[in-house]
Amino acid sequence: MGNKDKNTQYILFVCGHNAGRSQMGQAFFNHDKANFPEVNSWYEAISVGTRPGESVNPQVISVMEEIGIRMDDPKTYFPKGMDSKYIQDKAAGISRVIVACDDTCLLPPQVKAVPGRWNLPDPHGQPADTVRQVRELTRQKVQDLLRELQKNKL
């Protein structure tokens, strides 16, 4: 995905447990960026939780798979905190932070980028139809972000 060297810019998606909203944001961004050549060349999405959970919400994995986006790679889709090696290895390249949850998600002090707040509903414990609604809200916001990044790179 993208330039895996020092020039890669990371979009960091944040939510409470890194089990739903931020994982969907990461999956949509990395899947859909192929349609945005300038974005595809320079950006990669990663995700983190302020209070990481134990696993990615199976309902989220299921509704994403319904639309052809697989989230079964355990090296990519797993709950992680800011202190995880996965994130620390990429921290210097974080250029944008998207907080997918509400104002109760406090960012750790090491996050220097000014966050955008999406305030997406929490899919935890929700029926499939509600999780699909969260998926579609996430998809629309990611598409808007991709268009903005593409425009800024041209």
Side-chain angles (χ1 to χ4, degrees):
M1 291 181 202
N3 286 343
K4 290 287 192 190
D5 62 14
K6 63 183 179 179
N7 295 320
T8 299
Q9 295 181 47
Y10 294 100
I11 306 299
L12 178 65
F13 288 91
V14 180
C15 72
H17 297 115
N18 193 218
R21 296 165 285 195
S22 56
Q23 295 282 352
M24 282 193 280
Q26 176 183 352
F28 270 125
F29 189 96
N30 289 334
H31 179 270
D32 294 352
K33 71 179 185 170
N35 298 320
F36 298 84
E38 291 297 320
V39 175
N40 195 35
S41 299
W42 293 102
Y43 292 95
E44 181 179 339
I46 55 178
S47 65
V48 69
T50 58
R51 303 167 313 281
E54 295 295 318
S55 62
V56 177
N57 182 335
Q59 190 79 280
V60 166
I61 293 170
S62 177
V63 301
M64 292 297 281
E65 196 166 277
E66 289 174 359
I67 59 168
I69 298 177
R70 298 186 56 103
M71 295 176 59
D72 56 1
D73 180 355
K75 293 179 182 172
T76 303
Y77 299 106
F78 64 97
K80 53 209 142 319
M82 281 302 296
D83 58 348
S84 75
K85 181 168 176 21
Y86 180 87
I87 298 299
Q88 292 301 314
D89 289 348
K90 297 166 175 59
I94 295 172
S95 63
R96 179 81 66 98
V97 176
I98 303 296
V99 179
C101 52
D102 60 24
D103 292 336
T104 62
C105 285
L106 300 176
L107 292 178
Q110 64 264 47
V111 174
K112 303 298 182 208
V114 176
R117 291 201 177 265
W118 287 2
N119 293 318
L120 295 169
D122 189 351
H124 178 74
Q126 298 298 318
D129 284 342
T130 301
V131 178
R132 285 184 193 102
Q133 290 173 359
V134 175
R135 177 192 69 198
E136 293 309 309
L137 284 169
T138 305
R139 182 197 319 238
Q140 184 56 55
K141 289 188 172 288
V142 168
Q143 287 293 312
D144 291 346
L145 175 60
L146 287 164
R147 281 190 285 277
E148 174 192 334
L149 292 171
Q150 177 78 12
K151 181 180 174 185
N152 290 342
K153 280 290 185 183
L154 294 177

